[in-house]
Amino acid sequence: MEAILFYILSAVTLIGTLCAITARQAVRAIVYLVTSFFSLALIFYLLGAPLVAAFEVIIYAGAIMVLFMFVIMMLDLGHPEKLTFPKIRDWWPAVLLLAVIAGSILILAVSREPATAPGFTAITVREFSQALFKRYGVAVEIISMQLLFALVGALYLGRRR
Amino acid sequence: MSVTDALAIMPILIAAGAALLVLLAGPFLQARSISWIAVVAAAAAGVWAVVYPAVGATVTLPGLAFTGLSQFLIPVFSAAATLTLLLSHDYNQRRGIKGEEFQATVLFTLFALCVLACATNLLILFLAIESVSFAFYILVSLDLEREESGEAGLKYLLMGAVAAAIVAFGISLIFAGTGTLALTGAFAPEATRPIVSAGWGLVVIGIAFKLSLVPAHLWTPDVYQGAPAPVAAFLSTGSKVAAAAFFLLLLAFSRPLAEIHLPLYLLSLGSMVIGNLAALLQKNIKRMLAYSSIAHMGYLALALLTGSREGYSAVLLYGAIYTAMNLAAFGAIASLSGAEERGELTAYTGLGHTAPFRGAILALAMLALAGIPPTAGFLGKFYIFYAAIRGGETTLAIIGIVTAAISAYFYLKVVVQLYMREPEGAAPAAPHQGTPAESLALTCAAVAILFIGIYPSPILRVLDAALR
């Protein structure tokens, strides 16, 4: 049951992301990305991390995507650009990358037993927060400093001159 | 967090507190007092690290510790930040860069650098190195009047973001393979060795970008040229030493795999050869110094390659010496630049006579970068090649020595411009009077270059303690 759900959700995630990067219109790309975030959140839920799933929906699919949408609407970027189709010789880095990835997957598939996911136990919000603010408390502080200075830098660079 | 913890990581707290103080007090104080607060705080962080005993300073905070290595690195970082702040006050006034954001961001960079020096797990290490890059994205594009500055910032940001993603992927693969984020416990079990070595490969690619090793070096000349000169001084010292320290921490604690020898060998070879040869062709002094920094990072990679304690101590020593040399070189450029950046080499013709003090500092920095005794540059190169030959990298060491000899040509070209050329046509604009803060910063850098070159035993003793 879980395995079937997982495969459906991963297919949705992959297709959603693929559509997001190929969509010509920015607004459509965002809607595709939100879809893929939602199914990613459900995958986290299946892995026994309901809190991460909730964060994925609230922060990524909710706050950040709304912000993107807001900027696109405000700056009126909704019109698709006329793109010329890439020439054949521009394709080789992508092809090379694809070959490397496909090769790795092939080697993994041939040489190994299929990996089984270890059993996950759901953790509570209390355990999660204790791990976050005790074990990773220093990391949280560093990230908050970094975000503060992201704000400072953005304000400075956006200042009217 | 107990009192002993707070005392042990005081440099981090000083830098963070001062950055916030500068931001909060900025609107109420004059630019001069802001600069002085920042300078005093940055210097205090370094002095604290020197004075506080590293032995017995156990920290209960997860992911941080005040070790001998931190005791060596924090003063170097703090010196770089202090001198940058001293150099930039008058430079910013001449260039119309206003606001307390500059000082606050430099202090934030120092904060991240101190965290990096104290990090004991991969997560903190990654966050610290990314915070450093992050601060530099802001600092590089801070000159709003000049288009090149913004262009350099954008280039650095785009390349840096890709490199950050690669490093993060590498670290996550190492974590997947070893099951721990701790630096000390991260050795690869046989079963997961392919995953761990893939992780190492990605980390090497990311670090190659951060150290600007060939072939991940293309951003360096543009960013150095576009960045304001004091920022270029800080970028070429703080961020490079930080990246080298990041790699050194990984290598020293977690038993490097044999697989990374070949990539590192090629990176070092390419950087030494291409960096020095490309520098020969440059007409702009900042681009020339950028290629020279690529070559110098190639030497650092050579010392890292040996995997021996001697190699690691050569990396740290060279990091400290390189900081002094580049601060002197870019500091002199900053001080000689007026409302326009003095970029072209021809603009330096005869400046050794019209601005004797700053000309002499620039000449000294060039001689040191070329590795001519009795400057510290010679000592640093000597230790690197010595460690390389002892570590069995004789071929690469010989190539390094040959390229170092070639590099003397373009460094000495600057000295020739300063003292021995008559200006063709119109003489370059006479530089304005040097200010006390700039003179103080340049004197400190020059004294460090000469002192380490002539009397190196104190710093070698500290180094010995740092790597124990």
Side-chain angles (χ1 to χ4, degrees):
Chain A
M1 176 64 188
E2 278 171 9
I4 299 168
L5 264 179
F6 171 76
Y7 285 115
I8 296 173
L9 288 170
S10 3
V12 173
T13 312
L14 285 177
I15 294 169
T17 319
L18 211 66
C19 290
I21 58 172
T22 47
R24 284 288 167 83
Q25 277 194 337
V27 178
R28 281 190 191 170
I30 285 177
V31 175
Y32 282 127
L33 208 55
V34 170
T35 318
S36 118
F37 279 147
F38 266 108
S39 47
L40 201 61
L42 282 173
I43 292 178
F44 280 129
Y45 192 82
L46 282 184
L47 282 172
L51 209 63
V52 180
F55 284 157
E56 182 82 23
V57 172
I58 296 170
I59 297 173
Y60 284 92
I64 294 180
M65 283 303 127
V66 169
L67 203 67
F68 273 19
M69 196 77 106
F70 185 71
V71 171
I72 289 168
M73 297 280 181
M74 205 169 72
L75 299 180
D76 197 20
L77 298 172
H79 313 292
E81 275 177 52
K82 281 264 189 293
L83 288 178
T84 49
F85 197 75
K87 293 194 186 71
I88 296 292
R89 64 158 190 262
D90 296 332
W91 278 95
W92 68 265
V95 171
L96 188 73
L97 208 61
L98 196 70
V100 169
I101 293 171
S104 327
I105 292 174
L106 203 69
I107 291 169
L108 274 180
V110 168
S111 66
R112 274 168 191 274
E113 297 288 305
T116 48
F120 285 98
T121 48
I123 56 160
T124 61
V125 178
R126 178 189 292 271
E127 285 166 328
F128 180 86
S129 350
Q130 270 173 352
L132 184 66
F133 289 105
K134 278 193 173 155
R135 256 177 83 194
Y136 300 110
V138 178
V140 172
E141 296 297 328
I142 297 171
I143 291 174
S144 52
M145 276 295 274
Q146 197 175 349
L147 286 178
L148 173 68
F149 275 85
L151 202 65
V152 170
L155 270 178
Y156 183 87
L157 296 178
R159 189 182 281 175
R160 289 200 188 282
R161 50 208 87 148
Chain B
M1 191 166 75
S2 65
V3 178
T4 37
D5 290 348
L7 289 178
I9 61 163
M10 191 53 92
I12 299 177
L13 300 181
I14 291 175
L20 298 180
L21 178 74
V22 164
L23 272 187
L24 286 175
F28 309 108
L29 296 175
Q30 284 191 331
R32 187 159 288 276
S33 5
I34 291 288
S35 278
W36 279 113
I37 292 176
V39 167
V40 169
V47 171
W48 184 283
V50 171
V51 173
Y52 195 77
V55 189
T58 45
V59 181
T60 51
L61 291 170
L64 289 180
F66 189 74
T67 58
L69 196 63
S70 342
Q71 191 158 37
F72 180 80
L73 285 172
I74 290 177
V76 173
F77 292 144
S78 142
T82 311
L83 297 195
T84 307
L85 285 165
L86 279 175
L87 286 167
S88 55
H89 178 73
D90 299 296
Y91 179 90
N92 285 358
Q93 292 218 317
R94 289 199 293 276
R95 302 297 285 275
I97 301 175
K98 290 192 202 72
E100 69 282 357
E101 286 89 348
F102 181 85
Q103 285 87 349
T105 311
V106 171
L107 285 172
F108 168 63
T109 320
L110 179 64
F111 158 79
L113 289 167
C114 292
V115 171
L116 181 110
C118 295
T120 57
N121 78 32
L122 285 170
L123 177 69
I124 304 289
L125 205 55
F126 173 72
L127 285 177
I129 190 106
E130 278 322 307
S131 299
V132 173
S133 307
F134 205 88
F136 278 115
Y137 303 148
I138 302 169
L139 286 175
V140 165
S141 46
L142 214 64
D143 194 349
L144 298 174
E145 302 293 323
R146 252 177 354 128
E147 265 179 28
E148 306 99 86
S149 180
E151 184 196 323
L154 188 62
K155 268 181 193 161
Y156 192 32
L157 173 68
L158 292 177
M159 303 283 273
V162 175
I166 291 174
V167 174
F169 190 29
I171 286 179
S172 65
L173 284 181
I174 294 177
F175 175 60
T178 60
T180 172
L181 282 172
L183 280 176
T184 41
F187 63 91
E190 260 325 295
T192 55
R193 196 182 161 103
I195 294 181
V196 177
S197 53
W200 271 98
L202 288 167
V203 169
V204 169
I205 295 173
I207 294 299
F209 166 83
K210 300 234 178 269
L211 278 178
S212 63
L213 297 171
V214 174
H217 66 292
L218 288 170
W219 59 276
T220 322
D222 292 342
V223 172
Y224 279 29
Q225 191 183 9
V231 173
F234 198 25
L235 176 68
S236 69
T237 56
S239 84
K240 291 297 160 65
V241 178
F246 176 96
F247 206 37
L248 192 135
L249 278 167
L250 280 179
L251 288 174
F253 281 110
S254 54
R255 272 194 259 166
L257 304 170
E259 288 96 305
I260 63 164
H261 185 268
L262 182 67
L264 211 52
Y265 186 95
L266 294 177
L267 287 170
S268 166
L269 176 69
S271 310
M272 289 192 297
V273 173
I274 295 179
N276 278 320
L277 291 183
L280 288 174
L281 304 173
Q282 302 307 316
K283 301 230 167 5
N284 183 304
I285 190 162
K286 281 164 92 183
R287 287 186 85 82
M288 189 272 272
L289 282 171
Y291 280 106
S292 118
S293 119
I294 293 167
H296 283 275
M297 291 307 124
Y299 303 141
L300 276 192
L302 167 60
L304 282 171
L305 188 61
T306 59
S308 61
R309 222 186 103 167
E310 274 169 352
Y312 296 155
S313 90
V315 169
L316 290 175
L317 178 67
Y318 204 69
I321 293 172
Y322 185 71
T323 302
M325 298 191 295
N326 256 24
L327 281 172
F330 278 110
I333 294 172
S335 175
L336 288 167
S337 299
E340 289 278 310
E341 193 102 2
R342 198 181 286 266
E344 296 303 309
L345 264 177
T346 45
Y348 286 83
T349 313
L351 281 193
H353 304 294
T354 47
F357 174 67
R358 287 166 290 173
I361 300 278
L362 187 57
L364 176 71
M366 289 301 144
L367 293 178
L369 283 166
I372 291 169
T375 59
F378 169 73
L379 190 81
K381 281 211 177 75
F382 174 78
Y383 268 90
I384 283 188
F385 294 133
Y386 175 73
I389 290 170
R390 286 272 300 243
E393 302 295 340
T394 317
T395 325
L396 210 53
I398 291 171
I399 296 172
I401 292 168
V402 171
T403 55
I406 294 172
S407 75
Y409 172 76
F410 57 81
Y411 292 126
L412 293 180
K413 205 161 75 176
V414 178
V415 181
V416 169
Q417 283 285 350
L418 283 172
Y419 289 105
M420 295 170 200
R421 282 275 159 78
E422 291 298 319
E424 295 164 13
H432 64 94
Q433 202 67 32
T435 61
E438 286 171 347
S439 307
L440 177 65
L442 291 178
T443 313
C444 289
V447 166
I449 293 175
L450 288 175
F451 183 78
I452 299 177
I454 294 167
Y455 184 54
S457 45
I459 194 169
L460 292 178
R461 244 194 329 271
V462 178
L463 256 180
D464 199 46
L467 282 171
R468 191 158 293 147

